[in-house]
Amino acid sequence: LRVLVERRIRPHPALGPLADLGLPDIRVILLRGEPVMAMMRVPTLASEGRANLHQGALGIGLRLRDGLAFRCVMKGRPICAHPDNGAPVTGFTMPLWDGVIDVARRAGAALPLAYLGVDVVLAEREGPLIMEVNVRPGLEIQNVNGRGLRRRLERLSAAQGERA
């Protein structure tokens, strides 16, 4: 008999009502170690407590420079409040934002991949923790942020080429 035991990660208390139904996560897209776009995925009753956008989790666009939550969508439609508890889903700044970006950058630097998505959670005691790294992080982050990735990737790629 083999058993896999994982430590339970409790959400950081600063997430408040956004963590009522499960553990939210933050996806940061990186190009050659530099953040390009970010979002938070928040579980709902519709997503059965999972942070999966296609199952009905909320996608909250996060501004890279300071972690400000500026836009939220559920199943592709913009919303203003959490559908299960009425909590605000925009207008707040993500706690421990510098730490989130730092761990995402360190994960990107540790892997031989030019383009990747790093999923980070805010743990109660530990702060930002890496949950996983995605080689093909998907494109839904564009819909959540209401902005395309292509121009951002091209600008960053050009800037990185100038520094090389």
Side-chain angles (χ1 to χ4, degrees):
L1 176 70
R2 291 179 189 232
V3 177
L4 174 65
V5 178
E6 291 183 340
R7 181 179 53 154
R8 180 176 180 194
I9 298 174
R10 295 183 188 273
H12 193 281
L15 294 175
L18 294 178
D20 279 352
L21 297 167
L23 185 64
D25 69 6
I26 300 162
R27 166 141 319 153
V28 181
I29 302 288
L30 295 110
L31 179 66
R32 293 183 199 91
E34 287 300 314
V36 179
M37 195 173 279
M39 71 174 165
M40 180 167 61
R41 298 177 297 194
V42 177
T44 63
L45 287 172
S47 69
E48 298 179 351
R50 295 180 188 95
N52 185 305
L53 298 178
H54 299 291
Q55 292 178 325
L58 306 181
I60 300 176
L62 301 172
R63 197 164 61 190
L64 279 177
R65 83 171 159 262
D66 57 8
L68 176 73
F70 65 89
R71 184 170 193 266
C72 181
V73 298
M74 181 177 186
K75 294 193 174 187
R77 293 197 168 102
I79 64 169
C80 298
H82 195 296
D84 303 323
N85 60 26
V89 290
T90 59
F92 64 90
T93 300
M94 183 61 60
L96 307 171
W97 185 246
D98 289 341
V100 169
I101 295 299
D102 180 58
V103 298
R105 277 190 168 126
R106 285 189 288 140
L111 299 167
L113 303 167
Y115 178 79
L116 55 98
V118 179
D119 294 345
V120 179
V121 294
L122 294 181
E124 180 178 51
R125 292 190 182 110
E126 301 89 341
L129 297 174
I130 295 172
M131 289 296 287
E132 67 179 0
V133 176
N134 297 276
V135 177
R136 292 184 186 95
L139 300 174
E140 191 62 25
I141 195 168
Q142 297 175 106
N143 295 328
V144 169
N145 278 270
R147 297 179 173 114
L149 272 169
R150 182 177 178 175
R151 286 195 179 119
R152 287 178 180 218
L153 292 169
E154 288 171 346
R155 278 194 308 264
L156 184 56
S157 188
Q160 289 175 339
E162 291 170 10
R163 286 182 280 182

